[in-house]
């Protein structure tokens, strides 16, 4: 992880085209006025012509234009643990997810519990850019990707990227890239057809795609998700829009390719952000492996599965319900129960994939059900009460399932609900909240993988694995017949 930029280190990484640094910094070249990713295949410039920036928007603010070869808009994120204050990290996450496309800076600041002035000052201090500048940079980055990778009409690209005006889109694009969007389209359009469009999601290798599919396959919610031999499919409800998507591994480069229905074109930023969280695409495998690899037991499994990821959640509420259904039953039994829940309360959705035909119920829908309605799905009354309590807490806003929510507060809120203990709270923190240091020490699988130790002994052993204990848990589960936990 790079919290500060050292020119010598950056230049060595640039010269080696070291993928471990992809997305951690960008290089602006004074002689061309272009900025690149450190993995760019263009001829490496002399060091005195290079200026290094932590983010793409900083490079743009210095007057550099994005490279059309390495495409900085596709670089994986930095996924910091403590590299910037939580406030800034939360703001960046929401902006990159498209929050400012529909809402104001005042509304963003209010949601984060600060004034808009304080938010601007914090972002300018830490990142060198304002919230508006970051939002414009992300909109232009998405537009550039859609121009090069899809055949969407220019007006649709403008609105899909979060612009409220085609004229404003054209003017900003011309200013930033030195050419109109139509010129880039003529050179880069690939034409994906009318039914869907494809988003490319880059990551830092290695990534164990087969292991990811194995993990998701056993936990896929019938009717909502399906895992094939080489792809992941699901239905989607976001911002009042519904649709479907299919994710496959790119055979040519370290990236995933997400085919997304055109009905979701207006929420593409959110779709991309949630997919990056689901597949943990912003992880830094080398940094994590360096920490966990020192342990005699974990080191072995890190070497066997160097590309293992902590899979997140496309829909945090959906994943939390699935975790509660998995309490004290097998993975298969929990999958059966989740399928019944969707069949009973989920809404149908138009999809070309027969296995994915329903939407997962909203918190409000589940909260309106009775204990008897839920219990008849085949679970004890206590479990039904837990589901209803979580649904009502999320619907009312007393529990926030957000990856930048206060982790301790959210876990405490969950544990205060009936039937939810430390195991479930840590598992939700690991996947729904994207907390890399969650560790369900009481888990029987983890204790077995550690030699049958007590929960207290497991927690003590895990202290050496901070701040990556979630990854340690996944490795321990995987060591038990390729992932029996969770």
């Amino acid at each position: 992880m790079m919290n500060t930029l050292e020119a010598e280190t950056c230049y060595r990484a640039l010269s080696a085209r070291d993928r471990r640094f992809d997305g951690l910094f960008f290089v602006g070249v004074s002689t061309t006025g272009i900025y690149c990713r450190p993995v760019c295949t263009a001829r490496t410039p002399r060091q005195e012509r290079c200026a290094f920036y932590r983010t793409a928007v900083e490079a743009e603010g210095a007057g550099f234009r994005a490279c059309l070869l390495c495409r900085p808009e596709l670089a994986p994120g930095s996924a910091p643990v403590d590299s910037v204050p939580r406030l800034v990290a939360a703001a960046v996450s929401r902006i990159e997810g498209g929050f400012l496309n529909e809402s104001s800076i005042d509304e963003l600041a209010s949601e984060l519990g600060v004034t808009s002035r304080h938010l601007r000052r914090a972002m300018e201090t830490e990142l060198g850019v304002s919230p508006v500048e970051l939002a414009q940079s992300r909109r232009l980055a998405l537009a550039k990707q859609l121009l090069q990778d899809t055949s969407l009409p220019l007006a649709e690209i403008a609105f899909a990227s979060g612009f409220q005006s085609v004229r404003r889109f054209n003017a900003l694009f011309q200013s930033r890239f030195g050419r109109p969007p139509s010129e880039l389209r003529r050179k880069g359009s690939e034409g994906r057809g009318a039914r869907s469009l494809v988003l490319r999601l880059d990551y830092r290798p290695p990534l164990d795609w087969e292991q990811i599919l194995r993990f998701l396959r056993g936990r896929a919610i019938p009717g909502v998700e399906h895992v094939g031999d080489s792809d992941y499919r699901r239905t989607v409800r976001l911002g009042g829009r519904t649709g479907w998507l299919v994710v496959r591994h790119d055979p040519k480069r370290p990236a995933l390719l997400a085919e997304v229905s055109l009905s979701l074109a207006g929420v593409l930023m959110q779709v991309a952000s949630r997919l990056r969280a689901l597949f943990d695409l912003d992880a830094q495998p080398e940094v994590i492996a360096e920490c966990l690899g020192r342990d005699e037991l974990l080191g072995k499994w890190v070497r066997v599965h160097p590309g293992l990821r902590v899979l997140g959640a496309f829909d945090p509420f959906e994943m939390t319900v699935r975790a509660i259904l998995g309490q004290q039953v097998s993975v298969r039994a929990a999958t059966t129960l989740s399928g019944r829940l969707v069949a009973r309360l989920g809404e149908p959705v138009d999809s070309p994939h027969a296995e994915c035909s329903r939407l997962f119920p909203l918190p409000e829908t589940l909260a309106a059900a009775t204990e008897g309605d839920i219990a008849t799905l085949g679970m004890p009354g206590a479990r039904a009460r837990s589901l209803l309590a979580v649904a009502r807490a999320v619907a009312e806003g007393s529990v926030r399932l957000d990856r930048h929510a206060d982790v301790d507060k959210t876990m405490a809120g969950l544990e205060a609900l009936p039937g939810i203990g430390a195991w479930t709270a840590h598992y939700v923190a690991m996947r729904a909240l994207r907390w890399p240091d969650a560790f369900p020490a009481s888990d029987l699988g983890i204790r077995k993988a550690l030699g049958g130790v007590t929960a207290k002994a497991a927690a003590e052993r895990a202290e050496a694995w901070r701040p990556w204990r979630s990854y340690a848990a996944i490795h321990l589960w995987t060591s038990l017949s390729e992932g029996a936990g969770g």
Side-chain angles (χ1 to χ4, degrees), residues 336-347:
T336 299
L337 288 173
S338 64
R340 292 174 183 170
L341 179 67
V342 168
R344 177 74 61 85
L345 298 176
E347 302 171 36

Side-chain angles (χ1 to χ4, degrees), residues 292-361:
L292 302 184
R294 301 187 193 111
D295 185 273
E296 183 177 353
L297 174 62
L298 279 181
K300 170 187 175 182
W301 292 107
V302 169
R303 289 187 291 274
V304 171
H305 292 290
L308 210 59
R309 304 292 172 113
V310 175
L311 298 188
F314 189 88
D315 180 339
F317 174 69
E318 171 189 296
M319 185 261 124
T320 301
V321 169
R322 175 62 178 75
I324 294 171
L325 291 173
Q327 292 175 344
Q328 300 177 343
V329 299
S330 68
V331 173
R332 180 175 295 180
T335 298
T336 299
L337 288 173
S338 64
R340 292 174 183 170
L341 179 67
V342 168
R344 177 74 61 85
L345 298 176
E347 302 171 36
V349 66
D350 184 25
S351 166
H353 310 290
E355 309 91 343
C356 302
S357 59
R358 302 187 77 81
L359 299 167
F360 195 83

Side-chain angles (χ1 to χ4, degrees), residues 173-231:
F173 198 95
Q174 175 74 50
S175 173
R176 184 63 51 83
F177 297 109
R179 65 189 70 192
S182 57
E183 183 177 329
L184 191 62
R185 158 55 52 82
R186 287 195 296 271
K187 293 185 176 181
S189 177
E190 294 181 9
R192 300 292 185 181
R195 186 185 66 169
S196 62
L197 55 86
V198 175
L199 293 176
R200 180 177 136 194
L201 306 168
D202 286 27
Y203 62 81
R204 298 178 194 87
L207 179 140
D208 194 335
W209 182 241
E210 294 302 320
Q211 176 60 28
I212 286 174
L213 293 182
R214 280 195 292 271
F215 185 92
L216 292 174
R217 186 174 291 115
R219 296 160 179 80
I221 298 175
V224 174
E225 301 173 290
H226 177 75
V227 181
D229 292 338
S230 60
D231 61 32

Side-chain angles (χ1 to χ4, degrees), residues 237-258:
R237 175 178 8 217
L238 278 175
R241 296 171 180 261
T242 61
W244 53 268
L245 58 81
V246 181
V247 182
R248 302 177 178 90
H249 192 265
D250 189 334
K252 300 178 181 179
R253 56 178 70 89
L256 301 184
L257 300 176

Side-chain angles (χ1 to χ4, degrees), residues 108 133 155 201 263 301 327 336 345 370 380 404 416 427 436 471:
L108 173 60
E133 289 171 330
L201 306 168
S263 59
W301 292 107
Q327 292 175 344
T336 299
L345 298 176
T370 67
H404 286 297
Y427 190 69
Y471 292 86

